[in-house]
Amino acid sequence: MIYLDNSATSFPKPKCVIDAVNESMMMYGNYGRSSYEMALKTTEKVYNCRKKVARFFNASTERVIFTNNCTMALNMAIKGIAFNGCHFVISDLEHNAVLRPLEALKKCGICDYSIAKVERDVYKTIQNFEREIKKNTVAIICTGASNVFGIIPPYRYIGSLAHRYNLKLILDASQIAGVRKIDLKKDNIDILCCAGHKGLYGPTGIGVFVLNDDINLNTIVEGGTGSNSLSATQPELLPDRFESGTPNISGIIGLSSAMDFIEEKGVDKIYNHEISLIKYLQKNIEFSNDIIVYTNFFDKGIRRVPVFSFNVVNKPSEEVAALLSKDSICVRAGLHCAPLAHKKYNTDKIGVVRVSPSIFTKKIQIDFTINSLFKIAK
Amino acid sequence: MKRVKIKFSSVTHAMNAKDIIQKNGGRVSIGKNTNPGMNEGCGYFLIVIGEAEKIMKILKINSIKIVGYDYI
C-alpha cells in the first residue's frame, strides 16, 4: 500500500508510538485522581507529554490542554470566547471545524462572522483582514495551512494585526504542526488548536488546545477534574478547567512518544523530505494536458505545507481516487471538509485529488503514483 | 533538615513544582491527601526537604500556584 493521505491521518505511526500505546494499555491506568503507584506513574506520563507539547509550541505546561481532536479544541476556543453579539473574522481557507461552530452560533443569534481573503501579497491579505474587523469583533481565526491547497497564510502578521485591535488570534494548526516550527509567542498566537494524529504522528483521538496567556474563556464541557471536588463550580485553574472527565490516556502517552520522534527527526528535515517528494511529483505530472495542478510548489511567492492538489481532466476527483485505490494508492478526493477553500479555487463543484506524504513516504512510491496517474489520465 | 508538605490545587501544578524543585537540587516526593478538605484542591502534595521560604520563593518565581504548606 502507498499511503498518501497523511493530511487526514498520518500512517504508518512510528514504532515508538505503537509501542507506547501498547504499553499504556498494559501498564497505565487513570491519572490525577489517586495515590497508588500506577496512578502516580500515569500522572507523570501525562505531565511529561504536556511538558513536551508546551516546549514544542513555546507555551507554559499548565496551558496545554488535551482534547479529543482539533475540532473539539476549535469548538472550545470559538464557543469559549464568544459572547452575545460578538463577531469573528476568519480566513477564506478555513475548514468546517471553524465554519460550522460559527454557523451554529450565528443560527442561535449569538455571533456573526466575516471572511477575509488570503492573497499572494501579505500586505493585501492583512488589509483584507483589517477591513473586516468591527467594533464587536472578538477574535480572528486563521488556519496555519490550508488542508486542500497547503497555503500558509501570514498568521504571524495577522496575529500582530489582531493584537493592535485588542483581539485574539486563534490558529488551526492541524496541517502545519510537525512540518513548520510554531512559536506561540513569536507568532502572536493566543490560542492554538491542533490534532495529534496528523503531522505530529500521534494516535487518533488526541488533540491539543494551547493557550498563550491567561485568557478568559467559558467552558463548553464541565465535570469531574479530580480537583476541588466539593465545589459544584468548575475550577478556574488550568489545565483542570478545560479537562473534565478521564482523558485519552493512551492517546496522550502515544502523543508523548510521537513528540520525541519529531524532535529526533527535526521539523525542518520532515518538511524538506516531504516538499522534495511533492516537487518531484509536480515536476513529473504538470506538463500533462490531462492533469490540472492547483498547487505550484515552485512558486516562491506562496508558502505552502506539503499538500498537493490536482484533478484529471474530465474525471471526477472521487473517481480518480477510486482508480488510484485499485493500485493500492491511498489519497483523499472531494471537498476535504473545506468548502471555503474550494470556492476560492472554483473547485467546489468537482473537488480535487489531494496527495499528502509523510516522513515515511519513499520516492519509489511517488514514481509508482505517477505511473498510475498517467494510466488513469490516458 | 526540615520536611515541608506543599499542597496544590491541580496535579499538573504539583508535577510542575516537582520538576522545578528537582532542577534546583531539591529532594522531593509526590503524594495524595487521604482526606482533602474543601479548599485543598486536587489533594496532591509534595514533600520537600528544605527551608519552606526558599522553596516558596522558587515556586513563586516560576508562577506555580499552591494551596498552602506545613512543616511536618
Side-chain angles (χ1 to χ4, degrees), chain A residues 268-278 357-363:
Chain A
D268 288 340
K269 192 181 163 190
I270 294 171
Y271 174 80
N272 290 335
H273 173 74
E274 294 178 13
I275 283 286
S276 70
L277 293 174
I278 289 292
S358 82
I359 188 68
F360 297 113
T361 310
K362 292 179 172 61
K363 188 165 166 274

Side-chain angles (χ1 to χ4, degrees), chain A residues 167-185:
Chain A
L167 311 175
K168 302 296 181 196
L169 174 67
I170 302 170
L171 190 85
D172 172 358
S174 277
Q175 296 299 329
I176 196 164
V179 284
R180 295 275 76 187
K181 282 178 186 150
I182 303 172
D183 184 312
L184 258 64
K185 290 174 180 64

Side-chain angles (χ1 to χ4, degrees), chain A residues 17 79 93 100 138-139 143 161 189 203 246 284 299 305-306 317 368:
Chain A
V17 173
K79 291 171 182 167
L93 293 167
R100 285 182 172 169
V138 66
T143 186
L161 170 77
I189 301 160
T246 301
N284 279 280
D299 178 354
V305 295
S317 59
F368 198 84

